[in-house]
Amino acid sequence: MAVFTFEDQTTSPVAPTTLYKALVKDADDIVPKAVDSFKSVEIVEGNGGPGTIKKISFVEDGETKFVLHKIEGIDEANLGYSYSIVGGVALPDTAEKITLDTKLSDGPNGGSVVKLSIKYHSKVDAPPNEEELKTGKAKSDALFKVIEAYLVANA
C-alpha cells in the first residue's frame, strides 16, 4: 500500500468559527437542507467523536447511493477536522481509504482560509487515477460552495 498526499487551499467569506461549526458540528443537519440531493446522514457506529462512522445517503443520476465517512479527529480549539472516506461510491476500487484533514484559520475581510490535505491510501503502489481525482475534487468543491452559499443566505 502506498499513500499519495495532495494539498489544497481556498478562501471563504464566512468566518472560520461559523464555517467550522457548519462543516463539523452541524453538518448532519445543514447538508441535507443545503443540498437537495442529500437525503440523510446517520451514525452507523460510534457516538459522534473520533472513530464514528457515518452513512451519508444521496441521489445521483436518479439512484440512491451512499458514502461512509469515519471521523478520525476533531480539534475544535484549532478549528481542525479529519475524516476518511471508507466505503461507498466515493471510494475508488484502488483505494483503501481517502483521508481529508481540514484546518480553518482567519482569512481576508473576516472570512476564512481553508487548508486541506488529502491522503489517498492506495491498495497498490500505483498512484490514483487522475480522472477520479478531478471528479472527486469537483464534487467536493461544489458541495463546499453550496454549504457556503447556504450559510451566507441564512446569516
Side-chain angles (χ1 to χ4, degrees):
M1 178 174 87
V3 178
F4 300 90
T5 302
F6 307 91
E7 305 290 330
D8 196 14
Q9 181 173 307
T10 190
T11 58
S12 171
V14 179
T17 53
T18 302
L19 189 57
Y20 183 83
K21 186 175 184 294
L23 293 173
V24 178
K25 298 176 93 178
D26 298 336
D28 295 357
D29 294 323
I30 289 177
V31 172
K33 291 176 187 172
V35 185
D36 289 337
S37 62
F38 277 69
K39 297 303 170 199
S40 65
V41 179
E42 62 183 279
I43 292 177
V44 295
E45 183 178 310
N47 62 3
T52 295
I53 297 176
K54 295 181 179 186
K55 181 179 181 181
I56 302 164
S57 300
F58 57 95
V59 175
E60 184 177 72
D61 300 326
E63 293 180 46
T64 300
K65 300 177 181 182
F66 72 92
V67 175
L68 295 176
H69 282 191
K70 180 180 182 184
I71 299 172
E72 302 289 355
I74 300 171
D75 183 358
E76 191 171 348
N78 294 302
L79 303 179
Y81 183 68
S82 178
Y83 72 91
S84 293
I85 299 169
V86 296
V89 296
L91 188 67
D93 292 337
T94 58
E96 184 76 30
K97 67 179 180 178
I98 301 169
T99 302
L100 296 93
D101 296 314
T102 305
K103 174 83 170 78
L104 303 173
S105 59
D106 291 333
N109 304 316
S112 302
V113 173
V114 182
K115 293 183 180 180
L116 183 64
S117 176
I118 303 165
K119 294 179 182 82
Y120 187 99
H121 299 258
S122 178
K123 290 180 181 175
V124 295
D125 288 337
N129 176 299
E130 194 70 30
E131 198 56 41
E132 287 175 341
L133 289 176
K134 286 180 186 176
T135 300
K137 180 170 177 7
K139 287 180 179 182
S140 176
D141 289 349
L143 177 60
F144 178 80
K145 290 298 179 190
V146 169
I147 293 169
E148 182 183 69
Y150 177 86
L151 292 173
V152 169
N154 292 285

